[in-house]
Every structure is written in C-alpha cells, then in structure tokens.
Amino acid sequence: MKLALHWKIIIGLVLGVIYGIIGALNGWGTFTSNWIAPFGTIFINLLKLIAVPLVLASLITGVASLSDLRKLSRIGGKTIAIYITTTVVSVTIGLVLVNVLKPGHKVPADMREELQRTYQTDVQSRTEMAEQAKQRGPLQPIVDMVPSNFFGAASSNRNMLQIVFVSILIGVGLIQVSKEHAEPVLKLFEGFNHVIIRLVDIIMLMAPIGVFALIADTINSVAKDNLAQVVELLSALGYYCLTVIVGLFFHTTMTYPMLLKLFTNMKIKTFFQGIAPAQLVAFSTSSSGATLPVTMERCEENLGVSEEVSSFVLPLGATINMDGTALYQAVAAVFIAQALNLGLDIGAQLTIILTAVLASIGTAAVPSAGIIMLVIILEAVNVPSAGIALILGVDRILDMLRTVTNITGDATVATVVASTEGQLRPPTMDSRKDRIRIHAEQ
Ligand code: ASP
C-alpha cells in the first residue's frame, strides 16, 4: 500500500522529535547542526526558491484570464473583508480565553525574575526592531507595495506583496493589448506555471526528510543540550502555552469549518485531508512564506480552488492574514500584563483587538516575526516591552503552531472565495494529472 504524503511527513516529524530528544540528552548538538540541519535548510530553500516564480506566473495567468476587471476588485474586496473578520474573531477568542484562564497569575515569582534576567539582551534587540517598524508613516505599507525595480521586488521573498502588485499590473496590461501580442507572453507564463507546480510535487518528495531535519534542529537549538531546562520552562509557562494552544485549536477546528459549512459544500474531512501536508510543512518551518508553494498546490490540486482565486488569495493571505499570530499576540500581551500585576481595563482590551489585527497584518511570514510586533501591542497598552522576556523561551514552539493556523486560515478563505465565485471544482486527488492529460490532448 502506498502511504499518503501527509503520513510520510508525520513519520519524518515523529522521528525528528525522537532524534531531537535523544540528541539533546546525549549532547549531539554539534553533530546535529553539521550533519542533520543542512537537509532542513535545503528543503526550506527549495520551497522559497519557487515561491516568487510561482506567484508571478500563476497570478499573471490568473489575472489575464479575467475578462472583466470588475471581477478582480470584487474578489479582492471579498478576500480582504473575510481576512479581517476572521482575524478579529481569532483575537477575540484569545482575549476571552486569557481573561478566563488567567495564566499570568500562575507564574511563580522567582521564575518570573529569572526569565527576565535570562532574556534581557534578546528583549533589547526585539525592541529595537519594533522601534524601526513603528517609525514608519501611516501610508508606508502602501508605498512599500509599489517597487521601483522589478528585479528588486523579485530579489527577496519578503517582498511578496510587491510581486503580487507587479503580477496584477502585468496581467491587467495583458488584457489591454491585442490578442496577437498577449498570446505569446501568456503562453510563456502558462507553461512556466505548469513547470513550477510540477516542481512543488518533486520538492515535496523530500518533505519527510526535510521535516525530520527541521524538527531535530529546532529541538537541538531550543534545548541546547540541556533538555531539563526546557522541561522546567514549559512547566512554568505551561498554562500560558495551553491558553494559546486551546485558542488556536478552537479557531482552527471551529471557526474555519463553520465558514466552510456556511459557504461551501466541501466536507470538512476533505478540507483537512487536502491541506494536511501544508500544515505539516508550516509546523516544521514556522514560516507561512516558505509554505506558500505547498499551500497553493494543495488548494488547487486537492481542494479544487481555481488558479485564478488561489494565486491571488493565498499570496495575499500569507502576507497579511495571520489569525494564529494575532490570537497569540493578544494572549501574550494580556499574559504579560497579568504576570506583572498590571490591570488592563476594557479600553485596553479593545486597543489590543485593534493593534493585534494591525500588527498581524504587518507581521512578516517568517519564523519569530510575531514576537517583534508584540512589542508594539505592549507599548500601545502601556505594558513594559521587557515583559516579552517571560515568553521568549517557549516562543518557537508556539510559533510552529500559530503558523499552522495562519496557513489553514488562508486556505479556508481561498476555498470560501472560490466557492462564492463559482470557481470551486469538486476536489479530486488526481486533478493535476487530469490537467496535464487535457493539456497534452489539446
Ligand atoms: N511564523 C509566523 C508565520 O510565518 C509569523 C509569526 O507569528 O511569527 O506565519
């Protein structure tokens, strides 16, 4: 029997955890960094390598295939509205949980002081980064979307919104010129698109090994050959972690299925089965940006979302829609306030909702970006940003989990938008092969 991809990745993940723990117990840190970690880096690099060409090719062909530009603005408006709504819901879930469970009151005082001492320098660098982010003017995010040089935009995966902008621009241009001029360009990008989707499949063959290496290395760098310390940290911050995890779990398994039920005919099981490999990659890379090619491929091939919708909704989502991050930021902000015995009135809680939604939009789709933006939220409600020292030690673990929620949210919205636009095919596991066959027959 042929094992499904997500099972192979799960096996890689479990073996990675086992290896990581054994390695940490036996002091194999250097061996792991030298001989295991590079395979994880290669896997992430391969995914990142195809992200820009994938978005470029699929969005250009997607936009150019729209006969009517009004449709693009309708899809855009709908997408952004659902993205913001789901983020507000997730922040609210986080706030309710943290206010009810009060994890901040459960941190022992001596542990609090020790944590603040240990992470003092880390806090400083995070605060400086947040300061830079804060000094930007109100319209700067819009200015940042418009690149002054094409290759400049394509030179870094962090510029994903610029790539989205350029692709839409080229797509619009293609609609405006004569068929004779548009066709060769379009054919080139269409062909390119097929090649890249195929490459995602090939790269995913390496996923079980990549995931094994990434997890082993994460445990290695978190534990630093001292697993007992991690266990101690987890027990002190266990309540806080649990609050974030319960919130993420609730949002992922209740809010998203509810949206799918309301707007699509898709079975919830089909959705989660289809998206599972992307969730596992998100978990092991902690980066929705690196996971983007897999999310796009799974949505198109396994969930039946049209390329037109997925190529627009998903890159946008990877950049601005981070429900998991927003939920975590809300819980973390209140947790720190509770631990430092600072009361937050209803006004402060509303400020957290607003700033967490905005901060999650501004959070980069890379590991640990969420904690930098957390500093801005803390300052907005007058909680000392040095308080992040309390949670830095367990941040990586929560980062892995919130990234899973982030990409699940993107995939849900893509499915919902496709369904409401009449662009959701019945999902078939073999649709790519069908498409290649149809293409070959043409
Ligand atoms: N790692 C998250 C992501 O890429 C962002 C964060 O919350 O740090 O989605």
Side-chain angles (χ1 to χ4, degrees), residues 101-104 106 234-244 331 335:
L101 299 176
K102 297 194 175 29
K106 304 203 165 64
L234 277 179
S235 61
L237 297 176
Y239 240 107
Y240 157 69
C241 293
L242 199 72
T243 313
V244 176
V331 173
F335 167 79

Side-chain angles (χ1 to χ4, degrees), residues 4 73-74 122 136 189 205 224 227 242 343 348 397 412 425:
S73 48
R74 191 181 64 224
D122 289 341
R136 295 145 42 99
F189 281 116
L205 293 178
K224 296 194 186 78
L227 207 56
L242 199 72
I397 300 165
T412 306
R425 297 188 310 272

Side-chain angles (χ1 to χ4, degrees), residues 79-255:
T79 305
I80 292 174
I82 311 179
Y83 274 158
I84 294 180
T85 314
T86 52
T87 310
V88 172
V89 171
S90 80
V91 177
T92 313
I93 294 173
L95 273 186
V96 169
L97 279 173
V98 73
N99 279 299
V100 172
L101 299 176
K102 297 194 175 29
H105 293 160
K106 304 203 165 64
V107 187
D110 51 340
M111 189 68 188
R112 198 166 61 206
E113 275 152 32
E114 196 189 314
L115 284 169
Q116 281 176 318
R117 231 176 303 116
T118 319
Y119 291 102
Q120 218 164 22
T121 42
D122 289 341
V123 171
Q124 222 161 32
S125 71
R126 259 45 165 220
T127 316
E128 276 160 23
M129 283 192 237
E131 204 48 52
Q132 281 167 10
K134 231 178 48 184
Q135 270 165 10
R136 295 145 42 99
L139 292 184
Q140 197 58 38
I142 300 175
V143 176
D144 286 348
M145 259 176 61
V146 186
S148 60
N149 182 289
F150 173 80
F151 294 100
S155 69
S156 160
N157 288 20
R158 287 185 179 239
N159 299 338
M160 204 47 94
L161 277 190
Q162 297 189 349
I163 294 294
V164 168
F165 180 81
V166 172
S167 311
I168 293 177
L169 212 58
I170 298 177
V172 170
L174 279 170
I175 299 178
Q176 308 285 321
V177 297
S178 69
K179 202 168 168 230
E180 175 201 357
H181 289 119
E183 203 141 88
V185 183
L186 210 53
K187 280 258 173 298
L188 175 77
F189 281 116
E190 266 170 15
F192 205 45
N193 201 13
H194 279 285
V195 173
I196 295 166
I197 297 260
R198 185 76 194 105
L199 288 185
V200 179
D201 284 341
I202 296 172
I203 294 169
M204 285 305 280
L205 293 178
M206 192 198 162
I209 298 173
V211 165
F212 167 83
L214 285 167
I215 296 290
D217 185 47
T218 304
I219 297 181
N220 180 36
S221 45
V222 172
K224 296 194 186 78
D225 289 342
N226 188 354
L227 207 56
Q229 204 184 347
V230 179
V231 175
E232 196 187 336
L233 202 62
L234 277 179
S235 61
L237 297 176
Y239 240 107
Y240 157 69
C241 293
L242 199 72
T243 313
V244 176
I245 293 170
V246 169
L248 293 176
F249 185 76
F250 185 84
H251 191 58
T252 311
T253 57
M254 301 301 268
T255 314

